[in-house]
Amino acid sequence: MRFFTFVSSCIETIQVKVFKKGTLKNHILIKYLLKDLFLYFLVSFLFFFMIFFVNQILLDVEKLLAKSAPFKDVMRIMVYSLPFIVAQSAPFATLVGFLMSLGGMMSSNEILIFRASGFSFLRILVPVASLGLIISIGSFFVNDYLLPLGHMKYNKLMREIMNSTPSIELESNSVKKIDKSHVVIGDVDGSSVSDIILFDSDKDSDRIIVAGDSKLTGAKQEGVLMQLDMNDAIVVSIDKENRKNFDVMNSEKTILNIFDTAVLGTSSRSAREMTTYDLTKALNEMKEEYKSDPSLKTRVNLWTMEFHKKFALPFGSIFFAFLAFSIAFLFGKHNGQTLGLFLGLIICVIYWAMQIMGQLFVQKVGANAFWCIWVPNFVIGFFGIIFLIKLLKK
């Protein structure tokens, strides 16, 4: 009797040890998977970060430095622009990084080790989706808090730079749109401009202002971004209802004030300078006003678009994680990393194009903001589910 009790005790001890050993092995495999995914995500993130950084920031920095803007302020402008680059880079890095990581594991048969250890595809999907969710939450924090903060500081600093160095807005022999006016600019040498032709319009008349040597100076009153002192100016005002009626005025010196709202947009807090909480409150108030003022429809739709952008792009990482998982295991048997990089870049370009098109539809056509902003994610999610179903049927 004691013998059978001893044997039973030994069997239970062996089972416990085997279970613990299997649990430990599973933890090691999951840890290895997460480390590999995160490593490739970081590499891809740096790749996209540099692309957006060079494309969108360095060009602006070069323009500011060329116009002798203070170096310290230019560096601060660059720092304030970083949250936007981070928010844009994270979702695309998730797709390309996960595709390369999982594709490489598939090509080197490392996934066979997972499968032989009792991992189903759905079980492997859990850490992949979890890391995608963590990236989405981090990206959302940047997009919802750091991006509005950076945007506010960026606009404030740009006003200061333009006040101290107003010539940064002018380029020799160019045409520039300032609010509703168009300005044809001659040679620019520092703050001096050789010739200027300005086309302006209101509900009653069209105006043409032609001036010789002019000088651009900083603001001398509140709300004015810069001042243009024009010499030997001729102003032609044409009646819109009767083009034969026009007035011509000559002056030795004319002062044209350029308001900050004409160059940097509204001076009030914009949707991009708000967190989700503040934007929700502002939208609710705007919708209440819209009930009595239908002219606010376009503005409500634009602000609704900004609200959905705060969620759609950051949480695109989850959709990309699902898609990367399915594609890598379906098509990554041979040259998985190379194929992952190639497919990832193509999908990123398509996704980016769909994003831009969606925003244009909202801005130009007034299309529904929710669908225009979320459709790219829904398309990615749809194909992710289709490929996942095919993978599970294998």
Side-chain angles (χ1 to χ4, degrees), residues 77-149:
I77 282 288
M78 191 161 55
V79 171
Y80 296 151
S81 301
L82 291 182
F84 172 77
I85 305 301
V86 172
Q88 292 288 323
S89 302
F92 299 125
T94 302
L95 175 65
V96 175
F98 282 23
L99 273 173
M100 292 182 67
S101 173
L102 298 172
M105 288 185 177
M106 193 68 181
S107 298
S108 60
N109 293 321
E110 289 177 286
I111 294 302
L112 289 178
I113 299 175
F114 284 83
R115 300 284 286 150
S117 301
F119 280 81
S120 64
F121 282 120
L122 287 178
R123 194 174 175 191
I124 299 174
L125 176 61
V126 172
V128 175
S130 299
L131 185 56
L133 178 61
I134 292 172
I135 294 171
S136 291
I137 293 173
S139 182
F140 176 75
F141 170 76
V142 173
N143 204 40
D144 190 48
Y145 179 74
L146 297 182
L147 182 59
L149 183 63

Side-chain angles (χ1 to χ4, degrees), residues 46-89:
L46 291 175
F47 170 75
F48 283 105
F49 184 89
M50 290 306 299
I51 289 177
F52 287 117
F53 184 79
V54 171
N55 211 25
Q56 300 186 28
I57 294 183
L58 288 189
L59 293 177
D60 292 337
V61 167
E62 181 185 6
K63 176 184 174 183
L64 292 173
L65 291 175
K67 294 292 185 177
S68 302
F71 180 78
K72 179 182 177 182
D73 291 340
V74 173
M75 292 300 102
R76 288 168 61 194
I77 282 288
M78 191 161 55
V79 171
Y80 296 151
S81 301
L82 291 182
F84 172 77
I85 305 301
V86 172
Q88 292 288 323
S89 302

Side-chain angles (χ1 to χ4, degrees), residues 129-283:
S130 299
L131 185 56
L133 178 61
I134 292 172
I135 294 171
S136 291
I137 293 173
S139 182
F140 176 75
F141 170 76
V142 173
N143 204 40
D144 190 48
Y145 179 74
L146 297 182
L147 182 59
L149 183 63
H151 198 75
M152 284 190 293
K153 291 183 176 294
Y154 177 93
N155 283 341
K156 182 181 178 181
L157 185 55
M158 279 300 295
R159 284 184 171 90
E160 295 175 2
I161 292 175
M162 288 182 183
N163 279 329
S164 62
T165 317
S167 60
I168 64 172
E169 278 296 304
L170 301 183
E171 294 182 13
S172 296
N173 306 312
S174 63
V175 179
K176 186 171 185 65
K177 183 177 181 181
I178 300 178
D179 199 11
K180 296 179 181 180
S181 304
H182 290 79
V183 184
V184 181
I185 303 166
D187 293 327
V188 178
D189 183 12
S191 60
S192 299
V193 187
S194 63
D195 300 286
I196 285 181
I197 303 175
L198 186 143
F199 299 90
D200 191 21
S201 178
D202 57 29
K203 63 179 182 179
D204 297 320
S205 61
D206 293 325
R207 284 182 298 277
I208 303 174
I209 302 175
V210 181
D213 294 336
S214 303
K215 189 170 184 179
L216 195 64
T217 60
K220 296 182 180 178
Q221 54 183 301
E222 188 177 352
V224 176
L225 187 65
M226 58 188 78
Q227 177 180 300
L228 191 60
D229 298 330
M230 300 184 292
N231 297 318
D232 300 323
I234 300 175
V235 181
V236 180
S237 181
I238 305 172
D239 192 335
K240 281 189 173 181
E241 294 184 359
N242 187 356
R243 293 289 177 177
K244 293 181 179 180
N245 292 337
F246 60 89
D247 297 318
V248 179
M249 294 175 286
N250 295 321
S251 67
E252 291 183 1
K253 187 174 182 180
T254 300
I255 296 176
L256 176 67
N257 289 326
I258 301 175
F259 295 94
D260 54 3
T261 54
V263 178
L264 298 173
T266 176
S267 57
S268 60
R269 198 175 176 190
S270 67
R272 295 184 181 181
E273 296 177 349
M274 296 183 181
T275 62
T276 302
Y277 176 78
D278 294 331
L279 185 54
T280 301
K281 288 177 61 178
L283 261 177

